[in-house]
Amino acid sequence: MSRRRHSDDSDGGQAHKRRRTSEPIEIEDRLESLICRVGEKSTSSLESNLEGLAGVLEADLPNYKNKILRILCAVARLLPEKLTVYTTLVGLLNARNYNFGGEFVEAMIRQLKETLKNNFYNEAVYLVRFLSDLVNCHVIAAPSMVAMFENFISVTQEEDVPQVRLDWFVYVVLSCLPWVGKELYEKKDVEMDRLLSQIEGYLKRRVKTHVPMLQVWTAEKPHPQEEYLDCLWAQIQKLKKDRWQERHILRPYIAFDSVLCEALQHNLPPFTPPGHMPDAQYPMPRVIFRMFDYTDAPEGPVMPGSHSVERFVIEENLHCIIKTHWRERKTCAAQLLSYPGKNKIPLNYHIVEVIFGELFQLPSPPHIDVMYTSLLIELCKLQPGSLPQVLAQATEMLYMRLDTMNTSCMDRFINWFAHHLSNFQFRWSWDDWADCLTVDLDKPKPKFVKEVLEKSMRLSYHQRIVDIVPATFSALIPADPIFTFKYEDETASSLPGYPTSVTVSNAIKNRASNEEILAILKEVPNPNQEDDDDEGEAFNPLKIDVFLQTLLHLAAKSFSHSFSALGKFHEILKTLTESDEGKLHILKVVYDVWRNHPQMIAVLVDKMVRTQIVDCAAVANWLFSQDMAHEFTRLFIWEILHSTIRKMNKHVQKIQKELEEAKEKLEKQQNKRVTSQRDSGDDEDMEKNSEDEEGQLEEQIERLQEKVESAQSEQKNLFLVIFQRFIMLLTEHLVRCETGSVDISTPWYKNCIERLQQVFLMHHVTIQQYMGTLENLLFTAELDHHILAVYQQFCALQL
Amino acid sequence: MSVKLNALHSDSYIEVSQYRDQHFKGNRYEQEKLLKQSNTLYVGNLSFYTTEEQVHELFAKCGDVKRIIIGLDKVKKTACGFCFVEYYTRGDAENAMRFVNGTRLDDRIIRTDWDAGFKEGRQYGRGKSGGQVRDEYRQDYDPARGGYGKLAQQQRSTEARNTF
């Protein structure tokens, strides 16, 4: 029984699909394959491959024109990193068959309209860029391209629309200019100058409140974190100054100039940009991530400057490669490393910078964090002599700049570094970071190292961590993750809960029933009360403490043991935590016993939320409580909070989906009844059954509707609780500093305000639903401007 | 417009492998259907000392983990180098196939594969000695998996007896 290992296959191992023997399907697959693979490593030159392919496609046009059109449109949209390869191909086809060229342009315009209608703005950029490069291939006449650009820029005159809409149209035009600026300027310089001047005017007046929220570092040095449109504008300005001389883009069409310039060109049909729709989702603004410049690559080719258009093109193409191949890390790494023109640039540096740029992107990375870890590992495997060194250099640089790094980005840096190290036997030159031992432990550098070691321990074990760091780092080593049992032995015998703990422990070991255990617990005195209440039902913190500590102690061996314990005694736990105080206290006890094992705390809290022993609001209140204030800046606190919010969101989504499905079912049922009535006439029984079913569905829908409303109410309440607590804590701090004339910028403050930002950013989709309530109840004008600024920056992200 | 180009949508890391559980109760078709819908992964080549906590930490990077079942030696009831990881959604399991399969846990390259779903009894090794089948026959020395393979161990002790 051999298991085929996918990781062994060099090309990622595509499964063999059983082909039907009918020929047209085979030919269509072959056409797809030919077109998709052109430009990849080959024994022949790219030019001869394109020439050959153009010949093959031209011959197939009579029978497969539509298929070829569809494939070419698809690669234009999905393989932007090979833009110029495909525009050249289309250019050659157009030279051989003018009508086909015209039909392709029309198909592209149709596709562009569809893409915009469906909110695929990033893909729409690639389509427009493709069209603009077709000018270079003599497929599209330059004046008609300029006209399209003019229509796009006229959007900036619109009023009462989101700024992000106007941004997009400006971005599209600017991002085409590296490819086609020269040609357009040669043909229509007056119009282009006017266009650029309009763009400049727009950029000057646009609002940039959102930028601080998206920056990875708060410092301007060594590299400013520029807003993406500002950076692109600077790059285009420089390109213009250089008279549109651009030498990085691979342009296969140049070799075919003699053929292409004989071709007749098409005019783009006038394209009216679609109007703004309320449900449109324009891309969010971005900040350009830079961590390297020409001083960082010690030998070899020089890194293009931050405002060079080469830098823009390289970064675009590398992002596109990741977007295409992220699911297959070996292919992705190989494609990144075989970037055309790699000999003229310090490619490893660009790759590492682009990958970290995505990993640290705010609000969130384009792909799941762990993808970047596995991609970097593959890259190290493929370039063992050079990439690990660049990665180490990058890590060092990121460490050096921790003091001004955004907290969310630091979280990702911590997780990435620990996971990466765990794949390389935790080998690292910790001594190089000895400076972190000379400052307070709450400062970013020692905090970072501490969190990395904690995560590393989770992937290994305590002694391993002790072994890998120098002895001088002992203060940063995580605690041994062992249980802290209050009622451990006779030394605790004076504690009021001790006798009951022993009894309960024996009862559990002897498989006593829930009733028996509850009876034992009834005897526990209630420190909150003077007289006995009649049933002993009131909130009794000692009862919770004794039972839970004892239970979790018996189950401390592993996660599974603890989950099993929670499951077995679910009834008792539900009884003990009926009140809000009870829920809060159970969380407190979990922390008390497992404070050295944050990972265990997180999984137990998760389980208790899922089995409804505690609710989400209780978790939020607990995390913000005074008891947890000393842990407030630790990573595990925020992991628990965000996990809790996500569970709440998923719960709401689940019920909404059930409601949608029930509504669809009802509609189907109603349609069925109508058609069956029409078809088979009146059948009283059938009609009654049908009506009964509909009645049941309607009831179900009503119940689900209530469930949805109730869930949404709980969700809104959760966010209110969280934001309220943030506001209280931050206001307290700000007032205290003001009255004491102390600088507000303590490490605690930076952490807290950035954690508030993080809540907005990580859950922006959900929070947008509740903006009205938030603005009316919490983020009012009376709020301290430091706190209000966070809210305003958040609002600016989609305005 | 939504043309699906097969050549461009390669996602080979999440494909179902050739392995089929010989003890599966049901026919090949049923097993295949379950594999294609499953949220559960088999994880192999673990060290005997790898804990549930370590598995959780790694696999939680792909999504919320529903449960982990550590594989046990049928006789000794101790960990014998494999486990099951079940996610709440298939998408999360797919990410594990793409990004965790073939990387290291506890210094060992681990392997993940689709599993038709945990059933009581499947947490036990099926080798004659109680551990996994692969540990019966392997010839190499692996300190994290009980040293030599069981057969090789018996051969060695026979040799030792014969030598003295």
Side-chain angles (χ1 to χ4, degrees), chain A residues 5-193:
Chain A
R5 291 163 192 261
H6 298 297
S7 41
D8 289 353
D9 286 338
S10 52
D11 69 335
Q14 278 198 15
H16 292 289
K17 296 174 175 61
R18 201 132 40 99
R19 301 231 152 119
R20 285 170 270 157
T21 48
S22 52
E23 278 209 5
I25 309 280
E26 278 189 2
I27 294 186
E28 287 190 10
D29 280 345
R30 196 176 65 94
L31 285 174
E32 226 180 78
S33 174
L34 280 175
I35 294 173
C36 290
R37 291 201 193 290
V38 76
E40 287 176 21
K41 238 187 278 195
S42 163
T43 46
S44 328
S45 71
L46 175 60
E47 286 76 23
S48 76
N49 283 336
L50 282 171
E51 180 92 60
L53 182 55
V56 166
L57 294 180
E58 188 194 5
D60 280 329
L61 280 181
N63 294 322
Y64 296 100
K65 184 183 67 171
N66 285 329
K67 180 69 181 177
I68 293 172
L69 275 175
R70 282 203 302 274
I71 299 172
L72 289 174
C73 282
V75 298
R77 186 169 51 90
L78 300 171
L79 287 179
E81 62 270 25
K82 288 169 75 178
L83 171 70
T84 52
V85 169
Y86 291 117
T87 52
T88 307
L89 181 61
V90 172
L92 291 173
L93 287 172
N94 180 57
R96 294 164 189 239
N97 187 322
Y98 176 78
N99 286 335
F100 177 77
E103 286 186 70
F104 176 74
V105 172
E106 279 169 20
M108 283 288 282
I109 294 293
R110 276 196 305 273
Q111 191 181 210
L112 178 59
K113 288 191 175 130
E114 265 302 296
T115 313
L116 288 173
K117 202 168 85 169
N118 294 323
N119 281 319
F120 294 132
Y121 287 94
N122 292 327
E123 290 183 356
V125 171
Y126 305 143
L127 292 175
V128 177
R129 209 179 278 164
F130 196 95
L131 290 172
S132 71
D133 201 46
L134 285 178
V135 172
N136 293 325
C137 300
H138 299 262
V139 178
I140 290 178
S144 69
M145 194 72 223
V146 174
M148 180 185 250
F149 284 172
E150 284 169 341
N151 280 347
F152 281 3
I153 297 307
S154 69
V155 171
T156 59
Q157 303 301 317
E158 287 178 8
E159 286 176 1
D160 296 323
V161 290
Q163 183 176 277
V164 283
R165 169 181 163 82
L166 312 185
D167 286 350
W168 186 81
F169 285 97
V170 169
Y171 176 74
V172 161
V173 172
L174 287 178
S175 76
C176 291
L177 295 184
W179 281 266
V180 76
K182 181 154 182 281
E183 188 65 24
L184 293 185
Y185 248 83
E186 268 170 26
K187 299 277 159 51
K188 288 276 180 180
D189 62 334
V190 170
E191 287 78 358
M192 289 302 292
D193 270 334

Side-chain angles (χ1 to χ4, degrees), chain B residues 12-13 15 21 25 50 64 72-73 84 95 100 121 125 132 143 148 152 158 162-163:
Chain B
S12 54
Y13 284 72
E15 283 161 9
D21 181 2
K25 300 266 189 318
T50 299
D64 292 336
L72 302 174
D73 182 302
F84 296 103
N95 277 335
V100 172
Q132 290 199 278
Y148 289 104
T158 313
N162 291 343
T163 315

Side-chain angles (χ1 to χ4, degrees), chain A residues 155-329:
Chain A
V155 171
T156 59
Q157 303 301 317
E158 287 178 8
E159 286 176 1
D160 296 323
V161 290
Q163 183 176 277
V164 283
R165 169 181 163 82
L166 312 185
D167 286 350
W168 186 81
F169 285 97
V170 169
Y171 176 74
V172 161
V173 172
L174 287 178
S175 76
C176 291
L177 295 184
W179 281 266
V180 76
K182 181 154 182 281
E183 188 65 24
L184 293 185
Y185 248 83
E186 268 170 26
K187 299 277 159 51
K188 288 276 180 180
D189 62 334
V190 170
E191 287 78 358
M192 289 302 292
D193 270 334
R194 196 185 316 137
L195 215 55
L196 285 187
S197 143
Q198 281 175 317
I199 291 175
E200 186 171 19
Y202 171 71
L203 292 176
K204 280 209 178 86
R205 62 175 198 267
R206 78 191 263 270
V207 169
K208 292 195 286 194
T209 320
H210 54 275
V211 177
M213 203 175 212
L214 302 177
Q215 289 175 317
V216 172
W217 292 286
T218 53
E220 283 284 299
K221 290 193 174 355
H223 308 112
Q225 302 283 289
E226 279 185 289
E227 212 262 355
Y228 78 112
L229 275 184
D230 290 340
C231 185
L232 183 52
W233 175 246
Q235 287 163 328
I236 298 302
Q237 295 242 277
K238 184 163 183 300
L239 178 61
K240 180 172 177 208
K241 253 206 211 105
D242 293 339
R243 288 172 323 139
W244 305 99
Q245 297 302 323
E246 187 289 317
R247 274 177 252 280
H248 177 81
I249 297 174
L250 178 78
R251 298 177 194 256
Y253 40 81
I254 294 178
F256 293 105
D257 197 49
S258 53
V259 169
L260 294 176
C261 70
E262 297 291 309
L264 291 173
Q265 295 168 326
H266 305 266
N267 283 318
L268 276 176
F271 185 87
T272 319
H276 172 63
M277 303 294 284
D279 61 344
Q281 286 157 27
Y282 303 102
M284 266 207 195
R286 284 172 290 127
V287 151
I288 301 297
F289 177 83
R290 291 276 163 69
M291 63 182 293
F292 291 130
D293 60 35
Y294 70 97
T295 62
D296 295 307
E299 330 136 327
V302 173
M303 192 170 223
S306 60
H307 285 165
S308 71
V309 84
E310 282 76 26
R311 197 71 179 264
F312 172 78
V313 172
I314 295 165
E315 287 167 0
E316 262 297 284
N317 284 336
L318 293 178
H319 282 299
C320 289
I321 291 173
I322 296 175
K323 186 163 186 279
T324 304
H325 298 288
W326 66 272
R327 294 176 193 84
E328 296 183 318
R329 60 197 204 234

Side-chain angles (χ1 to χ4, degrees), chain A residues 618-651:
Chain A
V619 176
N621 278 319
W622 164 64
L623 292 171
F624 280 94
S625 70
Q626 192 52 38
D627 287 334
M628 294 301 281
H630 63 295
E631 303 279 38
F632 196 67
T633 58
R634 282 182 71 185
L635 182 48
F636 82 93
I637 297 290
W638 302 98
E639 287 177 340
I640 293 177
L641 181 69
H642 288 292
S643 170
T644 305
I645 299 173
R646 275 197 307 269
K647 279 191 277 283
M648 182 80 247
N649 295 347
K650 285 195 186 146
H651 174 69

Side-chain angles (χ1 to χ4, degrees), chain A residues 103 233 239 275 411 414 470 493 552 630 641 696 741 792:
Chain A
E103 286 186 70
W233 175 246
L239 178 61
D411 291 349
I414 291 165
S493 55
L552 289 181
H630 63 295
L641 181 69
Q696 276 178 12
S741 301
Q792 287 166 341

